[in-house]
Amino acid sequence: MTDIIHLLPDNIANQIAAGEVIQRPGSAVKELLENAVDAGADEIKLIINDAGKSLVQVIDNGKGMSETDARMAFERHATSKIKSIDDLFRIKTMGFRGEALASIAAVAQVELKTKREEDSSGTYIEIENSKVVKQEPVAANNGTSIAMKNLFFNVPARRNFLKSNTAELRHIVDEFIRVAMAFPDIFFSLQSNGQEVFHLEKGSLKQRIVQILGNNYNAKLVSVQEQTDYLNIMGFVGKPETAKKTRGDQYIFVNNRFIKSAYLNHAIMNAFSEMIPKDSFPAYALFIDLDPAQLDINVHPTKQEIKFEDDKIVYAFVQATVKHALAQFSITPTLDFELDPNIQRLDAVSKPMSSEQKSSTSSSSLYQTFTQKNQAHFVERNSDLKHWKDFYETPSTPNIPLSTSTLPSLHKEYESEQPMMQLHLTYIVVQREAGFILVHQQNAHERILYERYTHAVAGKPIATQQSLFPATIELSASDAVILQELLPDMKELGYQLEPFGQNTFVVQGTPADVNMGSEKGAIEKIIEQYKHFSNDLKFSKREKLLRSMALQNSIKAGIALTQKEMQGLINDLFACETSNTTPNGKPTFMNFQKEEMDKMFGR
Ligand code: ADP
Ligand code: MG
């Protein structure tokens, strides 16, 4: 018997480790941009070919690397950014794990060119499979250029897992925006397949936000700023009237790092509550700065989740500050001052932090040793905000034992104009010979629309009504990528949209049943819904669109229906191929047998 355990060769170990850091071209974009920022560059260019699948290149004018450092940089755990565990609590750089370049070198072909100001010549290195295949001195500008070619060329299984170019490009644009937004004093550009998609001159944060989110935010941003000993917050929120049906333009940064936080998002939404309709989302770009010791950025390798030492205080602070800013803009006369009755009706605006909150801050465990915080599995503490999660959860299919069945013979029975009854503005009671059925109006309409749309894309296009005064929609760059992708299918569905310059579309026509004037909101909602589905691999792009539209355009619960409308709905429902469930499998109606009811009453 021989022993069977052996050490994995470095390149394989690196490939495995790379899986956590580099999942797709977008992850490389994030890492390379962050390295350029850390190198002190004030000009950073991103060049992409083939949605990053064949090339991701970042060129910066930062401090460059020495010849030895240039080789070292690709080793695992090679970093110039921390030396000891204590440094973790003083992090001022974007990176610190020393894993990104090693990971990239394990799963792609890399070409590095770098030069420091003090050196007369630069260094050129080519790496493949974690091995240096070429190294030579080279004439170069100060700074660094890293080109990552043919991502996953040596891991075909992962290459096949990459999504369509449109989807991968969208991830890249998201990552690019998240870095560019946080550093307005750095010039950024993004070139994709030879075309410049972004050209962001240095400027103020406000200018950067407008450059990225679109000109329609010009003069529509409210400044948010508050400083305390514990934390600072600064940034902008969109005025209530700019709230959209999509949640795209929302950014939170902690110590200049983009984070995803349903919890803080909730705090901001709360500050807006009463000022915007329930199903719309304000834009915001907020920067929270606090002592790195108050954070655990070690939670997730891609570092988008973050744990605050005291998240309740951060929540209260964010909410109060945003609320304060919103109230402030309505009482400070400015050039673009608009009287918003909703804001005037607001209660007295709470101060950023009450003295109670302040004392609880200072008595909280700020200065504890890091033994208990900073754990990767750090458990979120209980909060009394029990329902904040509802915000993010999409409605799930209830697990009701179905008593519905498809009853083909029903159709005829309902053609007779018998009176129907609406209950709770949600249900329709339809009497039939053998009992009655209870129809859920939204679920039923969702099914009807879904089948209508399915037929539309299968060759029976829905009629378009031409807009008399075509509206334009300006979207964020990433939403524009989505809409562009959906244009051909949307045309079959009656939406005639035309690209009109950067991230802008003109609505030339809509389906006949969309009210003129509300086409903008309708389209934004469809995009938002589409994004909800977008991680669902089992659906095609088209299927996602059909489902999104059916969901968005269906009559909602709470809408009063006339006899004629109820009649129409029921007729359409039973003319469907599958009338008993929504596309997602929720029941559209329940069947109640008279016989069963008689039994219940002992008859
Ligand atoms: P980390 O950023 O976590 O330190 P990386 O693998 O991303 O790890 O980079 C390793 C090291 O290579 C960095 O610590 C830095 O010293 C150097 N480096 C990477 N990119 C650049 C760059 N664009 N300019 C200068 N130095 C760089
Ligand atoms: Mg890095």
Side-chain angles (χ1 to χ4, degrees):
M1 283 280 263
T2 55
D3 299 327
I4 53 171
I5 299 181
H6 57 93
L7 283 174
L8 287 173
D10 272 355
N11 62 331
I12 300 197
N14 282 344
Q15 265 182 26
I16 295 170
E20 275 198 68
V21 189
I22 307 296
Q23 280 114 18
R24 50 168 26 104
S27 358
V29 164
K30 168 178 188 287
E31 296 296 337
L32 295 177
L33 289 178
E34 289 187 351
N35 279 350
V37 169
D38 285 345
D42 70 349
E43 209 179 287
I44 300 177
K45 295 177 189 151
L46 170 62
I47 298 171
I48 299 294
N49 277 341
D50 203 11
K53 292 173 186 172
S54 58
L55 175 74
V56 172
Q57 181 174 19
V58 171
I59 305 171
D60 69 56
N61 65 349
K63 66 181 181 218
M65 285 178 262
S66 71
E67 190 188 337
T68 322
D69 282 351
R71 273 192 86 120
M72 260 306 270
F74 293 94
E75 297 293 327
R76 259 179 89 197
H77 312 303
T79 179
S80 55
K81 299 168 194 174
I82 57 170
K83 290 203 172 83
S84 72
I85 191 77
D86 293 337
D87 292 344
L88 266 185
F89 309 104
R90 296 190 275 271
I91 286 187
K92 290 270 154 61
T93 54
M94 303 294 286
F96 59 87
R97 297 169 156 262
E99 281 177 343
L101 291 186
S103 299
I104 289 171
V107 292
Q109 294 151 338
V110 179
E111 292 171 21
L112 164 77
K113 206 165 151 187
T114 187
K115 182 174 120 33
R116 299 184 300 178
E117 202 177 358
E118 61 263 44
D119 297 333
S120 54
S121 71
T123 306
Y124 175 81
I125 293 182
E126 252 179 64
I127 299 191
E128 204 175 292
N129 265 326
S130 304
K131 299 221 166 59
V132 175
V133 293
K134 192 168 176 187
Q135 175 172 352
E136 60 193 26
V138 70
N141 295 329
N142 294 336
T144 303
S145 154
I146 299 189
M148 178 189 89
K149 296 185 168 169
N150 304 319
L151 179 60
F152 300 137
F153 78 103
N154 52 354
V155 206
R158 301 203 45 207
R159 193 171 173 91
N160 294 338
F161 199 69
L162 292 178
K163 301 211 180 121
S164 69
N165 279 8
T166 339
E168 294 300 344
L169 190 59
R170 185 160 20 113
H171 283 290
I172 289 174
V173 169
D174 284 347
E175 298 293 356
F176 175 85
I177 288 176
R178 290 165 186 176
V179 179
M181 184 91 86
F183 297 94
D185 45 5
I186 300 179
F187 165 90
F188 284 93
S189 68
L190 164 54
Q191 183 185 312
S192 166
N193 293 335
Q195 254 202 324
E196 191 167 64
V197 187
F198 283 96
H199 184 97
L200 308 174
E201 296 292 355
K202 294 183 200 177
S204 66
L205 174 63
K206 194 171 180 179
Q207 287 166 333
R208 180 59 50 98
I209 293 173
V210 170
Q211 283 173 326
I212 292 175
L213 298 187
N215 269 328
N216 48 338
Y217 283 107
N218 211 351
K220 302 266 174 182
L221 295 173
V222 178
S223 159
V224 175
Q225 185 139 30
E226 207 62 67
Q227 304 196 337
T228 67
D229 294 342
Y230 180 60
L231 80 172
N232 301 333
I233 180 170
M234 61 86 93
F236 293 89
V237 296
K239 290 187 181 171
E241 76 261 24
T242 63
K244 288 190 185 174
K245 300 293 176 200
T246 79
R247 91 168 72 235
D249 303 334
Q250 301 187 329
Y251 298 87
I252 304 175
F253 300 83
V254 172
N255 291 355
N256 266 357
R257 199 186 289 285
F258 172 83
I259 60 151
K260 284 187 180 150
S261 169
Y263 187 69
L264 291 186
N265 175 65
H266 187 263
I268 299 161
M269 293 298 280
N270 243 340
F272 270 91
S273 62
E274 296 174 37
M275 292 183 217
I276 55 172
K278 248 202 141 118
D279 57 347
S280 59
F281 305 93
Y284 55 78
L286 292 175
F287 293 77
I288 298 168
D289 284 322
L290 68 173
D291 183 346
Q294 313 294 321
L295 293 174
D296 178 10
I297 28 184
N298 216 6
V299 178
H300 190 264
T302 56
K303 294 171 295 219
Q304 282 191 349
E305 275 83 43
I306 224 166
K307 294 280 174 244
F308 295 101
E309 173 68 24
D310 201 328
D311 50 9
K312 268 196 211 165
I313 288 181
V314 180
Y315 183 102
F317 182 76
V318 168
Q319 184 188 347
T321 312
V322 173
K323 218 168 168 179
H324 183 72
L326 284 168
Q328 199 75 42
F329 103 77
S330 79
I331 49 178
T332 314
T334 61
L335 275 179
D336 53 327
F337 174 56
E338 274 140 2
L339 215 59
D340 186 335
N342 285 326
I343 294 173
Q344 294 199 314
R345 244 183 279 126
L346 264 181
D347 294 341
V349 183
S350 41
K351 279 267 168 287
M353 269 224 232
S354 65
S355 52
E356 206 179 303
Q357 285 165 330
K358 273 203 174 120
S359 70
S360 77
T361 313
S362 49
S363 66
S364 77
S365 43
L366 299 187
Y367 304 105
Q368 278 180 354
T369 53
F370 58 79
T371 43
Q372 37 177 306
K373 56 188 177 182
N374 231 65
Q375 305 295 314
H377 52 269
F378 192 82
V379 181
E380 203 154 87
R381 75 194 56 192
N382 273 333
S383 102
D384 41 13
L385 302 150
K386 288 199 189 67
H387 301 294
W388 67 271
K389 273 203 167 123
D390 299 350
F391 251 74
Y392 253 59
E393 267 150 29
T394 42
S396 59
T397 312
N399 213 355
I400 310 170
L402 287 195
S403 72
T404 63
S405 51
T406 337
L407 306 166
S409 63
L410 278 175
H411 187 203
K412 277 218 171 67
E413 214 177 313
Y414 299 110
E415 270 165 0
S416 60
E417 302 250 314
Q418 52 159 323
M420 294 177 181
M421 186 168 53
Q422 193 185 21
L423 296 180
H424 301 289
L425 298 180
T426 304
Y427 297 100
I428 302 170
V429 187
V430 188
Q431 185 188 325
R432 47 192 288 261
E433 232 176 78
F436 69 91
I437 60 169
L438 196 59
V439 177
H440 189 280
Q441 66 189 46
Q442 180 175 353
N443 288 3
H445 200 218
E446 231 183 282
R447 161 57 63 185
I448 296 164
L449 292 180
Y450 174 75
E451 294 205 359
R452 189 176 300 161
Y453 297 152
T454 311
H455 290 142
V457 292
K460 286 187 203 148
I462 289 178
T464 301
Q465 59 178 348
Q466 296 295 322
S467 316
L468 288 178
F469 306 102
T472 56
I473 319 183
E474 187 164 346
L475 299 171
S476 64
S478 57
D479 284 354
V481 171
I482 298 179
L483 187 57
Q484 185 68 43
E485 176 176 51
L486 297 177
L487 286 187
D489 279 337
M490 289 193 66
K491 188 153 190 220
E492 306 284 291
L493 295 165
Y495 286 93
Q496 197 182 329
L497 301 173
E498 270 155 34
F500 185 71
Q502 214 184 21
N503 306 333
T504 306
F505 295 83
V506 180
V507 188
Q508 300 286 11
T510 52
D513 52 358
V514 171
N515 291 334
M516 290 288 184
S518 65
E519 54 285 65
K520 221 176 129 176
I523 291 165
E524 285 172 358
K525 274 186 173 172
I526 291 168
I527 296 175
E528 180 60 17
Q529 196 59 52
Y530 182 81
K531 284 192 283 194
H532 270 297
F533 280 119
S534 72
N535 289 327
D536 218 327
L537 286 173
K538 65 178 186 287
F539 295 133
S540 69
K541 192 174 84 181
R542 171 176 284 182
E543 180 67 18
K544 284 178 208 163
L545 175 66
L546 297 179
R547 285 169 182 244
S548 307
M549 282 192 45
L551 233 149
Q552 278 314 333
N553 294 343
S554 55
I555 317 168
K556 303 297 180 294
I559 306 285
L561 299 178
T562 63
Q563 275 301 322
K564 212 171 148 208
E565 286 166 334
M566 290 193 271
Q567 197 81 51
L569 190 82
I570 302 301
N571 285 343
D572 289 349
L573 176 64
F574 290 106
C576 283
E577 278 155 40
T578 310
S579 44
N580 62 329
T581 62
T582 67
N584 297 325
K586 291 182 202 166
T588 52
F589 68 89
M590 296 282 176
N591 194 9
F592 295 83
Q593 300 284 348
K594 180 165 183 298
E595 223 172 75
E596 302 276 313
M597 292 187 290
D598 289 344
K599 265 193 218 146
M600 281 185 223
F601 289 96
R603 294 286 166 181

